[in-house]
Amino acid sequence: MAASMENNVHPKIGPDISVFMKGGSNMLGFRPLFSRDSKCLFIIQGSSILVYNTNSGEHIRQLCKHTQQIVGIQIYPRNHLQLVSCSSDGTVIHWDYTDGVVLKEYNLQCKVFAFFMPFEDNSICFITKNKYKDEENIVLLRVRFSANEHREKRFLMKNLLPDEKSITFGNKGEYVAAVNGEKLYAYHVKTESIRRHLLGGDRHFTCIAAHPTETCLATGDDSGRILLWYNFMIVNQPAKSVLHWHSLPVTGISFTVEGSHLYSVGGENVLVKWTMGQTQHREFLPRLGAPIKHLSISSDSFMLATCHLDNSIQIISSHLTITQVIQGITHNHVKQESSGTLPVGLVYDSRSAALVLNGKVGHLQFYSVQTDKQLYNLDIVGQNVVSGASQNSPIIYTEVERAAFSDSGQWLATVQRRADGWSQQEISLKFWQYDNSSQTYLLNTKVDLPHMEKVNKLLFQPGSAVNTPLAVTTSDDTKFKIWGLVDDTDIYRERNCWACESCGYYKSSAATEAAFSDDGSLLAVVFDQMATLWTPENNALKVALSIPGCQDNIRHVLFGNKGAAHLLLSGTQTKLVVWNLLTFCIEWCVELQVVALAGDPMSDLVAGITKDSTLYVYRLGSSTPVYTHENVSTSPVLSAIFLPNALEWKRKSSTLLWQQTSQLYFMNENQELLTINESSGGVGEAREQGVKIEGNLPLTPFGQLLAKKTKTGVESVQRQRHVQLGNPGSDAVID
């Protein structure tokens, strides 16, 4: 899902350097779309379109040409191998999605909220803001193109919502129906007559769908009801029937192509299949993982796609079995004020070469940056998440707030906490050991209430022996603790477990940040304005450092690596200060409001991102930045990390000199994973370079080999077809 953001929200700095979205991009803004043969699924991601194979779940292609948010995609009615997309600035592009080629492009000269192609002729419909009788209104317009490119605009409806789920077209465009609040509007296209109906009661519409063959509408509301409307174009009091299973607002409804079944989704994490004419008969696919926001169905009704609030898309067969899951970075949709959006931050697991961060509530997700795929979820807490909790009295869950890996990846330590504000905090420290037979982490030790207050930092000592690892925790209870592996063998079993070896404190200040030196011989612990240095083996205090004339608490602390191992970087709300540990003097100081700090484990580089989203890269020996980049994110940055290039893409990930050993990644509040890299052109590029993926083959070595052989075998045939029949359909010119 890697996408360039240079033309959208992140400006270019220099000739070829841009901010790229590597993962975590929002796929929930608009409904996905199946190709006519159901072999491909098109997903809107910002200003680009992702093409996935529905059988293998592989990412085949990315269509990039728009510069603004895409608001709608449709299959071109006259050629089912062509896709039409429209962005919010009114740019409409016709694609040959099999080759990723732009066939035609034009602009509607207005802001567009939603885009449709319900008619068989060469016309489009879109929702926009327009003046109607001298008043600003959200309206539905129809634009028809003649042979000489003349555009004929026609007004259809007004008082609409800027939402694609609030409008539907029935009987191949014979009528248009829309919902807004408690009102239902039905407009007959030929007679230009309109009917208005009220929902009644203290309810509001949430979505609408039209029956494919009958004059029937299905509407969902915020009470969980589905209403079937009949004769709504004829009488003022149409006949209605009620389907009610959902306890939460209905977020999506869709008829099958024959109209024999109706599917509905909501916040219960359940897909419901209704049989029309037998409204009491319904089937369920429960426990889908997260509340469902959108629902799409293929043209043959054999496949469905559900979009979930955790930023995943599940492809489901008509037999209600999950066939594929499209999942990059899982978004945490259960946000709690006590924990924040990303309490763990970004952590690197050297064993799997994966980025580890918060995922589902109470879980850690292991994410591959190279393939943009989630490797697996690790359930840390072991709790059930109840769907549909009241906003007035939300459920407080236990969340994973800290995580750290040993150098070898053999050990994982986690801290979980539940704080509801009125009862005692529930805090647990857990140590997990990797099991080679089960290929996962198994719980080794659980320590309840390791500290009396919130744990601020958790990390392992680098360079320690596999058999004698050490870990450290800091807390608001003014203490830091060093944990070690001890022998817990008895007559029943041989095992090791973790126990507290020593405890340290400095005056009565809270212990916040901590860091180990590159070789693990020194431990830096921050107590308010003081940075203290300790020897971890005997927990002896060596020195306490403070910034002269500064009353701000230290928020960041970091040892230098490689040639800068004798330097210690500390950051306050307004300053970055580097100490020389050989002389205990300040090496340099700059005024910066850093919110995220990361050190390169392979060099002496550090990267800091400020409150105004400016990136600064320094070598610790100099106060002059080696690289700066403004506006790297549209939302506040939460965490940053360097990933070694030696393990990721074999040093091919960046052409920037300061990223030759490691690649910088950072995540913002929108849970988007961003990076700095060289821009690459291309309108509709395949995900992998080299062999072109033919026929939606899975992106595997065998699939590429088969694609190469297929392409070689048909080359001569294709050349003959060009001579005898002219250009193939994928190169056809639109009327």
Side-chain angles (χ1 to χ4, degrees):
M1 301 178 190
S4 172
M5 305 178 67
E6 57 187 300
N7 298 322
N8 194 355
V9 293
H10 295 286
K12 292 175 66 175
I13 302 296
D16 296 309
I17 306 302
S18 301
V19 178
F20 284 78
M21 187 186 302
K22 188 59 187 175
S25 55
N26 186 10
M27 299 188 296
L28 305 178
F30 301 87
R31 288 178 293 198
L33 176 69
F34 285 95
S35 61
R36 193 56 60 95
D37 59 6
S38 302
K39 292 182 179 180
C40 293
L41 182 68
F42 306 103
I43 301 171
I44 296 176
Q45 177 198 273
S47 59
S48 61
I49 303 170
L50 306 179
V51 186
Y52 279 85
N53 183 293
T54 55
N55 293 324
S56 66
E58 292 290 339
H59 180 192
I60 304 171
R61 187 177 298 283
Q62 184 169 342
L63 306 178
C64 303
K65 188 66 166 63
H66 288 281
T67 60
Q68 299 297 322
Q69 172 69 54
I70 298 176
V71 297
I73 48 178
Q74 300 289 329
I75 299 296
Y76 187 51
R78 296 189 177 183
N79 190 332
H80 297 161
L81 296 178
Q82 294 178 8
L83 182 73
V84 185
S85 60
C86 179
S87 56
S88 59
D89 61 352
T91 301
V92 179
I93 297 178
H94 290 247
W95 303 86
D96 177 349
Y97 65 81
T98 59
D99 294 327
V101 177
V102 174
L103 302 177
K104 191 175 184 180
E105 179 180 349
Y106 52 89
N107 198 288
L108 300 174
Q109 305 298 324
C110 63
K111 183 176 179 61
V112 178
F113 299 110
F115 169 78
F116 313 94
M117 296 189 73
F119 305 105
E120 294 295 333
D121 61 354
N122 191 23
S123 65
I124 62 174
C125 292
F126 57 94
I127 298 177
T128 184
K129 183 178 287 187
N130 203 349
K131 280 192 175 183
Y132 181 78
K133 296 183 178 179
D134 298 329
E135 291 184 2
E136 286 286 339
N137 207 314
I138 297 179
V139 300
L140 176 67
L141 298 181
R142 178 181 181 182
V143 175
R144 183 178 295 159
F145 297 90
S146 59
N148 58 0
E149 294 295 326
H150 176 70
R151 303 179 185 180
E152 175 190 346
K153 279 189 179 181
R154 178 183 174 188
F155 170 82
L156 296 182
M157 300 181 74
K158 65 173 183 175
N159 298 325
L160 302 180
L161 292 175
D163 183 6
E164 62 177 353
K165 293 193 294 185
S166 68
I167 192 167
T168 186
F169 298 83
N171 289 349
K172 297 182 180 180
E174 179 183 338
Y175 65 89
V176 187
V179 293
N180 187 351
E182 59 180 11
K183 297 178 181 178
L184 168 65
Y185 303 93
Y187 174 82
H188 198 277
V189 177
K190 290 185 178 180
T191 62
E192 298 186 1
S193 60
I194 189 169
R195 291 277 184 175
R196 298 174 179 85
H197 307 285
L198 293 177
L199 179 59
D202 190 20
R203 298 184 175 94
H204 296 85
F205 291 109
T206 56
C207 53
I208 187 172
H211 194 283
T213 58
E214 302 176 5
T215 307
C216 170
L217 290 174
T219 60
D221 62 35
D222 53 8
S223 69
R225 298 190 314 167
I226 299 174
L227 291 183
L228 300 178
W229 302 70
Y230 303 94
N231 303 324
F232 53 87
M233 291 300 304
I234 302 174
V235 297
N236 292 326
Q237 298 294 329
K240 292 177 286 186
S241 61
V242 180
L243 308 177
H244 200 173
W245 177 87
H246 295 277
S247 59
L248 299 172
V250 180
T251 57
I253 48 180
S254 183
F255 285 96
T256 58
V257 65
E258 307 89 357
S260 57
H261 293 92
L262 173 71
Y263 292 92
S264 63
V265 294
E268 303 88 358
N269 312 352
V270 178
L271 172 66
V272 185
K273 181 180 181 180
W274 307 83
T275 301
M276 298 298 292
Q278 303 175 17
T279 56
Q280 298 303 316
H281 179 69
R282 52 183 181 254
E283 300 175 66
F284 304 95
L285 181 60
R287 295 180 291 277
L288 291 178
I292 306 172
K293 185 177 181 181
H294 296 302
L295 172 66
S296 296
I297 190 168
S298 62
S299 58
D300 56 10
S301 302
F302 288 160
M303 291 184 180
L304 299 98
T306 55
C307 299
H308 300 259
L309 291 185
D310 64 353
N311 205 37
S312 67
I313 295 178
Q314 299 189 24
I315 300 176
I316 302 170
S317 71
S318 57
H319 302 295
L320 299 185
T321 57
I322 300 174
T323 59
Q324 291 294 336
V325 177
I326 298 173
Q327 176 77 75
I329 293 180
T330 297
H331 285 187
N332 183 7
H333 64 280
V334 183
K335 295 181 174 61
Q336 303 183 125
E337 293 184 3
S338 60
S339 300
T341 303
L342 194 70
V344 166
L346 301 177
V347 185
Y348 179 64
D349 174 27
S350 59
R351 174 179 289 274
S352 60
L355 198 61
V356 181
L357 62 156
N358 294 96
K360 298 178 181 178
V361 60
H363 290 67
L364 288 179
Q365 60 173 316
F366 289 69
Y367 167 78
S368 172
V369 178
Q370 181 178 1
T371 61
D372 189 24
K373 284 187 177 181
Q374 184 184 107
L375 302 181
Y376 62 95
N377 264 300
L378 183 62
D379 189 356
I380 301 297
V381 176
Q383 65 185 346
N384 289 325
V385 178
V386 180
S387 62
S390 171
Q391 296 297 323
N392 298 326
S393 56
I395 297 175
I396 305 300
Y397 296 101
T398 302
E399 184 59 283
V400 185
E401 294 191 340
R402 302 290 177 260
F405 290 89
S406 62
D407 282 352
S408 62
Q410 182 69 19
W411 292 98
L412 162 67
T414 61
V415 173
Q416 61 191 51
R417 183 173 73 105
R418 182 183 182 273
D420 55 19
W422 58 272
S423 62
Q424 184 179 4
Q425 297 184 77
E426 301 174 15
I427 305 175
S428 294
L429 169 65
K430 293 180 178 180
F431 291 93
W432 308 74
Q433 187 174 16
Y434 189 82
D435 182 66
N436 291 317
S437 59
S438 60
Q439 295 291 297
T440 187
Y441 286 92
L442 302 179
L443 182 62
N444 174 273
T445 305
K446 178 184 178 183
V447 182
D448 289 325
L449 210 61
H451 289 274
M452 300 304 296
E453 297 293 341
K454 177 183 177 181
V455 176
N456 295 313
K457 194 70 176 182
L458 169 65
L459 65 160
F460 280 92
Q461 180 188 31
S464 58
V466 177
N467 298 327
T468 59
L470 290 179
V472 65
T473 57
T474 67
S475 173
D476 285 342
D477 64 0
T478 73
K479 295 178 176 62
F480 72 91
K481 294 183 179 181
I482 295 178
W483 306 82
L485 196 62
V486 297
D487 187 5
D488 191 35
T489 301
D490 53 26
I491 61 174
Y492 301 104
R493 59 185 176 180
E494 292 184 5
R495 70 183 295 266
N496 294 325
C497 70
W498 289 78
C500 180
E501 291 192 348
S502 60
C503 178
Y505 60 93
Y506 185 82
K507 298 182 179 180
S508 58
S509 302
T512 54
E513 283 295 309
F516 277 103
S517 61
D518 191 20
D519 59 358
S521 61
L522 280 179
L523 171 64
V525 182
V526 172
F527 295 91
D528 292 342
Q529 298 95 7
M530 306 295 295
T532 60
L533 297 181
W534 308 72
T535 53
E537 282 74 18
N538 57 10
N539 205 17
L541 176 64
K542 291 297 184 181
V543 69
L545 305 173
S546 64
I547 304 173
C550 182
Q551 300 300 318
D552 294 334
N553 290 344
I554 297 176
R555 297 185 175 185
H556 311 278
V557 66
L558 191 68
F559 278 95
N561 294 315
K562 305 304 178 184
H566 63 291
L567 301 177
L568 177 70
L569 174 64
S570 60
T572 68
Q573 185 177 1
T574 58
K575 294 181 179 180
L576 276 184
V577 179
V578 174
W579 295 86
N580 189 322
L581 299 183
L582 300 178
T583 62
F584 298 117
C585 296
I586 293 179
E587 191 82 5
W588 55 266
C589 176
V590 294
E591 299 283 340
L592 280 181
Q593 293 182 325
V594 174
V595 295
L597 194 66
D600 182 5
M602 309 300 292
S603 71
D604 61 344
L605 290 167
V606 293
I609 301 176
T610 61
K611 191 175 181 179
D612 62 355
S613 297
T614 301
L615 168 66
Y616 293 88
V617 181
Y618 293 93
R619 294 195 180 276
L620 276 186
S622 172
S623 61
T624 302
V626 298
Y627 183 82
T628 60
H629 197 137
E630 297 179 352
N631 302 322
V632 295
S633 175
T634 55
S635 62
V637 175
L638 301 177
S639 183
I641 190 173
F642 278 95
L643 296 186
N645 286 341
L647 297 177
E648 197 225 343
W649 296 308
K650 299 179 181 178
R651 302 183 181 272
K652 294 190 298 184
S653 61
S654 179
T655 57
L656 294 173
L657 291 178
W658 60 273
Q659 289 193 127
Q660 288 302 300
T661 58
S662 301
Q663 181 86 12
L664 176 67
Y665 294 92
F666 48 95
M667 180 166 282
N668 58 23
E669 280 191 350
N670 296 332
Q671 301 180 66
E672 299 167 337
L673 185 65
L674 308 173
T675 188
I676 306 290
N677 214 333
E678 184 181 15
S679 302
S680 58
V683 176
E685 296 183 346
R687 185 159 180 86
E688 298 288 343
Q689 301 297 322
V691 180
K692 179 182 173 183
I693 308 300
E694 297 286 350
N696 297 337
L697 290 171
L699 206 58
T700 61
F702 177 75
Q704 293 188 358
L705 178 62
L706 184 59
K708 189 173 183 179
K709 286 188 175 182
T710 305
K711 182 176 180 179
T712 304
V714 300
E715 256 181 354
S716 58
V717 179
Q718 289 291 347
R719 281 195 292 268
Q720 292 177 11
R721 289 187 60 193
H722 276 272
V723 174
Q724 296 174 3
L725 305 176
N727 292 335
S730 61
D731 297 326
V733 179
I734 300 175
D735 295 341

